[in-house]
Amino acid sequence: MTPTQVPAPAGEAPDTADAAGTTEVRNEAAPPRRRRPPWVSLGAYVVTVLALITLNFALPRLMPGNPIDALLAQGADGAVQNDQTRAALTEYYRLDQSIPEQYVHYLGGLTRGDLGRSTTTNGSVGEELGGRVGWSLLLMVAGMLISVAIALPAGIHSGWHRSKRADRNLLGLFLTLQNLPIYLVAAAAFTLLVSKLGLFPPGDATTLFGGYTGFAYVLDVGRHLILPALLLGLDFATYEFLVMRSSMVSELGSDYLLGGRAKGLRQRRLKYHYAARNALLPVVTVIGLQFSVAITSIIFIERIFAYPGVGEYMFLAIGQRDYPAMQGAFLLLTISVVTVNLFVDLVYRRLDPRTSM
Amino acid sequence: MTTPIARRTFLKGMGGAAGAVLLSSCAGDTGGDSDRTPPGERPTVRVVSWTLLGFPSPFTYTAAPGYWRMSLLFDTLLWPDSTGKQLPWLASSYTASDDGLVHTLDLRDVTWDDGRTVTARDVAFTYEYYTSKTFTPLLIGVPPKVASLRTTGEKTVEFRLERPDTTFVSKVLGTMPIVPEHVWSTINDPMSAASDPGALIGTGPYKLASRDEAQDNEAYEAKDGYFLGTPYVKRIEMRPPANDDPLATLAAGGLDAAAGPPSGARNEILAPFRDDPKYGTITADGAFSFPMYFNLKRGGALADLRFRRACLHAIDREDILRRLLTGNGQVGSAGWLAPANPFYEPKVREYPFDRTEAERLLDEGGYRRSSPGGSRTNSDGSPLRYVLFISDSIPIALAEILNASLKAVGVDVDLQRIDLPRLFGVKLSANYDMLVTLYPGPAGGGPTGDPELLRSVFHSKPPTPLSSATGYSNPEVDRLIDAQVATLDLEERKRQVSQIQKLVAEDLPVATLYYTNAFYAFRKKVFDAWYFTPGGFGPGIVEPYNKQVYVTGQKTGTQIRQP
Amino acid sequence: MLAAGTAIIVAFCFVALFAPWLAPHPAIEPFGENYLGSSPEHLLGTNDNGSDIFSRLIWGSRTTFTVVVCATTIVLAIGLAVGLTAGLRGGFVDTAAMRVVDVFLGLPILPLLIFVATLAGRSLTVSILMIGLFTWPQTARVVRSQTLTLRQRGFISSARGFGAGPWYVIRRHLVPSLGPVIAANLVFVAGLSVAIEAGLAFLGLGDPMAVSWGAEISRAVGNPQILIDQLWLRWLVPAGLALTLAVVGFTLVGVALEPQFNPRTNRAR
């Protein structure tokens, strides 16, 4: 269900992850791995972040239409909105300054943690985002947990029983799932399960004005979370499954397994306790890397389920050409992605002894 | 209901109103399951929310829905009820001189939320504050300059105008919310006061009990010490509509009252509410219109009267109303004002569907067809081809019909659906050929409002270019518009407005395609006094959310109904 | 799997190419009777403006087909160019190219797509360019990876040693070896193009006047009457099925071509 391709860590790719859906079986002919020194990774990170900040600033200003027009359009028929008003507004929002001046001011604000004021609500963008980050994170984490719960056992099983019917079926299922557009599945799920059957609440993170507290509140949040998280999890699971499976397959020829079988260890123990554990490493990387792809899926899900997260916020901001809000949300999203990638890059090397030299 | 910019339009109707009827349960999202307010108890009413439109202080809201939310917290001097008449609200009495130049008001004995007394000084301060802070609030804009504003004593205010102004009473006295001097005199940047609780100190009937911007909900609680008495509606909960479909949410029990879409609804959608006795419905005819603007500034065919007339003749508007809206609308009048408007003039030039006439006009104008059935060309040989921007909140079906109708008479249009900010951008900068959009904009008002709205459309110097017919200038129309706003005699004013409509119908700088009706359905047993204010409340808002109905529980007067 | 997938793709191409003869009605009939139910005249009834739904489905395949062909071509061109250069040259060029690829892969696509669509306007060309722009990185990677492998195996250096020019190397060695891998990758890319184009249309970012499956879904879902009179069954479901089928078709073929997925060719070490 990933509408785009698979992510990769900044830097050289581990050869278990390649093009969408394809996982190369590791072969001896692969070029030798080199561990990238951490300061290179950090350096690349800083450059990327700066590039993103600048891109973030530039893009909204390139879009046709601007916040002043959008604001003035809200005015009444008889409201006096002459050039004077327009000039005053433009000055107020600093849009009369030259682009470099605006840029400098923007950067200055960033260093102070000030993301500006939304031109539509006049509220602090930072505050508004803050109120939403929690929900997006909750959705993301729940989705990740569900995806792992689905993909790992399936991948282990499929890889272990490679080429048999179970493997073929699972493979076919997950591959199809991977290519189904997420918005389609989510829209279908919504129409069927929510609108028609009423099995799940129609949107939002909690029952509004429900006044639940304590455990009842947790249940309420859970009830609203389950369907979006499930769909998100299915979306993430497809790729994780493939990597898990491929990694298992790579393990299959290992000597220690042969030795274990010779020693008479039970299949089950071999499968889970040894093979699976060793096969886990690349999957762990992948799970971390899913983050950037996850953003796209999360945005779809948030919109369809009206989940009050950052993705929904960004969309609303675009609809209003609300520059500060757009910038704030986009910045938050992109920098999180890059940061997670960096983290995975730095940590992964430590985790997998086979990739270091 | 006027919809502001693209709020969740991507979810538009997903699931559908009918789907909601099939909904077995709203899965626990019905706030209170109250289908009936217990006798003796004051009701809690759940309506659609608009947290997107900013904090409800008088300087940080946007658009019409933002205004009426704010009106729950702040009062104006006068306020209308269902008769359309302005009642003394914050003012205890109001008199105007015979020449309409002097307006005197006495204030009631009212205190602000923080205990201080409301004085005439507050009123004067408010007026000065609005006029000096030129860009806030956008909805009200800068009130017209008065010649003088005097306070005589603690409780009396006197406005003196230079010229009579028929809109002064509703636009200033009935629209300008009074704010406390002791709070705002220290604030230099009113828009930055968003989310400052001190910004909400007012006299209004309700106080903001809770607000969650992310989940888009707010709750307002009635104030027991309100100067008219404890408001009838105890609590107003505003929540977002599920699936961006208010009617569906109403049917599913998530709301107690909801409006149909401004672009019109078919009978299949409205029938469940009309036929079911537990719902009441009200309609405001002609609340919205779909005008097609021509940019006369660009010259060529656009500035040619024959071309514009031909375009309108080429469109079968009756057919559109029948097929797209099952008849829930009226064919547009070329005079702009809707039939439901008290100033409507029926005897204006009409443009019935007539392809032959359209062809004749185009032939006469020298726009020859390059080949039989082909597109026409201008007299200089360039193709008769224009870009037609259409708002993306208008159904595609209408775009397809317009495209085909114009092509049938040889006018080639390049149809582009664009989103509202971009649409406003091209309109404000006059960067378009032709444009179809929903009128009024997010601000409220509409073809049934006070005829002063004609100034924004047809005057050569409109207050804002947003709704104006670009490049149109008729000195006689200008003169009449300037005259009617100062004419206190109703019959004389009607004559002037009639004349304006006749003239603009002849000139056709902008063609109103058709009107749709505002439709509103509500659960009778929760609250049933809803009405559409004739002429609108505040700056002309055509919504049923007139606070008079919340406060009194009945349609007229300031007496509060006993539960 | 290969058979099923190929059958679907062939059928899809057939319908797209012969649409004018297959579709009983034109795509847009703005004055027809709307919301008609199924009948011999209108197999799936008419939509909200009186146009025949079945015909629109057929015409829609053309749009999808165009997008797939164009986008895949772009991806092939860029991916091949970048991947080959990176793989053959190595060193700084390789590193630089891979950095660029990484940046692309790390960007969240959807926000950017929305930005670009609003910026550049909504048209089929923009959609195709955007799809191409965001999917070439993976092809480049595959090409590069395969090229590197080949390089490792010494074919290239030995051929060069014999005095072969670069083009000869590309023709005789790289292309035959790259061919299957690229083919498999491109088929996946094709499937992805279908999905992304439909996604864009669904979000309203595609060409508003083009007839496309994604746009059809969007229009159906946005209609408040969608659940009355089984409207969804004849309007929404067929478009969704067509879309899914096309994507599945490409996936099946891609999977069948991918060596490691084909259980028969999978070899344990």
Side-chain angles (χ1 to χ4, degrees), chain A residues 3-6 8-9 11 13 18-24 29 36 52 59 62-64 162-163 168 171 175-176 179-180 183-184 245 250 253 292 295-296 299-300 303 314-315 318 321 326 330 334 337, chain C residues 99 102 104-112 114-115 118-119 134 138 141-142 145 149 152-153 185 188 192 195-196 198-199 202-203 217 227 232 240 243-244 247-248 251 255 258 260-261 263 266 268-269:
Chain A
T4 78
Q5 70 275 20
V6 181
D18 214 30
T22 63
T23 52
E24 270 179 28
R36 214 158 66 134
L52 281 175
L59 273 177
L62 293 172
M63 281 168 55
R162 181 188 35 80
S163 305
R168 275 206 293 265
L171 198 55
L175 281 173
T176 310
N179 276 300
L180 279 181
Y183 55 85
L184 194 60
R245 178 189 174 280
S250 307
S292 75
I295 299 286
T296 307
I299 292 180
F300 272 117
R303 293 178 66 188
M314 194 183 63
F315 260 92
I318 291 179
R321 300 293 189 282
M326 274 162 64
F330 189 62
T334 50
V337 167
Chain C
R99 278 304 150 276
D102 288 335
F104 265 92
L105 289 178
L107 292 174
I109 306 294
L110 196 56
L112 285 174
I114 298 168
F115 273 134
T118 323
L119 166 69
F134 288 111
Q138 0 172 27
R141 279 191 139 199
V142 171
S145 168
T149 311
Q152 280 267 300
R153 294 225 182 105
N185 182 263
F188 275 123
L192 215 58
I196 298 182
F202 178 77
L203 293 175
I217 295 177
L227 289 174
W232 59 278
L243 195 59
T244 314
V247 170
V248 166
T251 310
V255 164
E258 265 286 339
Q260 57 263 32
F261 286 138
N266 223 342
R269 276 182 291 159

Side-chain angles (χ1 to χ4, degrees), chain A residues 6 94 150 196 251 289 318:
Chain A
V6 181
R94 286 198 168 74
I150 296 176
K196 260 200 164 269
E251 287 298 317
L289 298 176
I318 291 179

